[in-house]
Amino acid sequence: MIQPAQLQDRSPLGELVSAIAVEARWIIADTAVMSWRNLLRYRRSPELLMFSTLSPVMFVLLFNYVFGGAIPTGDLNYIDYLMPGILVQTTIFSATTTGVGLAEDLQKGMVDRYRSLPMARSAVLGGRVVAETLVSLFVAFLMLGVGLIIGMRFHGGFWPGFSLPFMVAGFAFGFSWIAAFVGASVRNAEGAGSLMFFVVFPLTFLSSAFVPIESMPGWLQWFAYVNPVTNAVDFGRALSQGGPIVANAWPTALWTLGMTFVIGPVAVWRYRKV
Amino acid sequence: MDHAIEVRNISKSYGSVVALDNVDLDVQRGSVMGLLGPNGAGKTTLVRILTTLLRPSSGSATVLGYDVVRHARHLRSYIGLAGQSAAVDDLLTGRENIHMAGRLYHMPKRQVQKRAQELLEQFDLVDAADRSVKGYSGGMRRRLDLAASLVANPPMIFLDEPTTGLDPRSRLELWDVIRNLVSEGTTVLLTTQYLEEADQLADEITVIDLGKVIAQGTADELKHQAGSEFIEITVRDVEDIRRAASVLENFAENNECDIDEEARKTSIMVQDGASIMVQVVRSLDTEDIAVANMAVRQPTLDDVFLALTGRTAEEAATESEQEQN
C-alpha cells in the first residue's frame, strides 16, 4: 500500500535543496489554510468582531474628546497627534489575541490534531499571526476613517498617510510573534491573556502614543525613548503628519524584522516542544 | 512487512514517573488492536508516541515501516488520529472542519470537497454539515472528529478512547462506524477502558497496566487465561439464597461463593461449567430450592483484569488517579 520509496537516498545537497523547496511550499500553503480558518472564526463570532472593531472606534472618540483639550501637543492638533498612537496601540492589543487563541487551541487539544498531520508546524502559529494582521489592517483603516471624519488631516501627503494602516499592521505582525511565544509557553488562554495585558499596557502608555514624552518624569523618559512602540508611533506620525520618513522608518523596520525572525522561530520552537 | 505497527522496548518517563516501561507490541495489517487498561495505564502515552506527538525516552517503534522518530514527517501523511478530546473547531461547520483537515493533509481542493461529502454521508452528518459545530451533540462531534481523521484515507488509524463519555446509543453508533472502517481494510489501534468495547471491536487485545504490558491475545484467549467459568443461580425466593449458596459452595473451585441478595443471585467459579451445572441442579432440587434462573457464564474481560492484576479495572483507575493527584 505504502511504498517507502520517498525515503531513498539522494545526494545530501540535492536532499537539502529539495527539502527546503518542499518545506517552503507547504509552509505557505498550510499558513494560508490556517489563516482561512482563523478569519472564518472571526466571521462566525459576532462578539469577537464587534469587540475588535467597535471598541477601537470608541477609544478614538474618548481619547480625542476627553484628553484632546488637556494635552498640549505643540503644533499638532490632538487628533493628528493621537491617531498614529492609538492605531499602534490598538493593533498591538489585537495582536495579543494571537497568543490567547494559540493557548486556547493547546488547551482544547486542537493542537494534537494539527501535530499529527503532515502540515508545517510553523503554520499553526503563522496562520494565527497572518489572520490577526489582516484583522488589524481592517481595524486600522476603520479607525483612520473615523479619525478623518472627526477632524484628522494628513499633513505629509495622501500616500504616506494612506500607508499608515499598513505600517501599523506590519508592526503588529512582528509583535504577534511575541504574543505567539507567550501563548505557546503559557498554554492557558486566561493566563496568556492577563500576562499579555501586563506587558502591553505599560508598553503602549509609556511611549509617545498619547502624550509627548517630555511631559513624563525624567526616570520614565529613558524607557519611553527606547520603547519600540515610540519608534513605531513616531514613524506613523512622520507618515501622516510629515517628517523625515527614512530616519523614522529604520528603527521600526529593525524591531519588526527582529521580532519576526528572532522571536518567531523561538515561538515555533516553543510550540514544537509542547 | 505484515506488521502495521512494531514497537520494541519503548519506555517513556517524565522525571521519575514512568509512563511506559519496556513495551513491545506488534499489530497485524488490517487488524484491530485493542489497547485496554484503566485510566493512567499509559495507553494515551503509547498512542502519542506512535502518532509522532511524543518522543520515546528509549526503544524504537515503526508504523507502516516508518520510524516514528526519524521518519515522523513522512509517517504523518499515512496515519489518522481521533482523540478523546474531539479536536474539532467549534466555530467552523462540520464540512469546513473536514475540509481543513484535508487541506492540511495536502490533498487537492477538489478531491477534498468530494471526500468531505462522502464522509459526511457515511457518518450521517449531512443534515448538520453546514451548521457550526457548536451545536453538535457529543456523539456528532466524535463522528466528525473521526471523519476528519479519515479524510486522507489513511491506511492506519489511531482511536484514543473514541467512546469515552458518550451515551450508550452514540457508543453503539460509533462502534458500527469503526466496524465499517475495518471492513475496508484499515488497520486500527484502539485504546479503551471499556472491556466490553475491546471485546466487541478488537481482533487482538493488549492489556496494559502501570505502563507495562501484562497480557496479550484474542478476547477468547484472555478469557481463557482467567481460567474459569461461572455458574450463576438466581433463586425465586430470597429466603432461599443462603441455603442455595451453601449447596453451591460444595462445587466451587475455590470453595467461595458470591452472594448478591438484592438480585437473589449466587455464583461460583468452576472449571467445567456444563457438567457441574447438572450436579448443581440435582442438589438444588433435592434441597427443594426453587430456581428462577441459572446460567453458565464465560468470564468477562473484567474478570480477566481482576485475575491479571488482582484488582478490578475500576480500582486500578482510581488508584492511578490518586497517584497523579
Side-chain angles (χ1 to χ4, degrees), chain A residues 48 50 81 108 114 122 128 137-138 256:
Chain A
L48 196 62
M50 195 107 111
Y81 185 86
K108 277 197 197 154
Y114 299 144
S122 57
R128 285 263 171 207
L137 189 63
F138 170 75
T256 305

Side-chain angles (χ1 to χ4, degrees), chain B residues 26 48-49 69 73 112 114 143 146-147 166 271:
Chain B
D26 286 324
R48 287 175 65 85
I49 288 173
V69 177
R73 284 294 292 264
V112 177
K114 215 179 115 214
R143 293 209 302 271
L146 189 52
L166 289 187
Q271 274 307 343

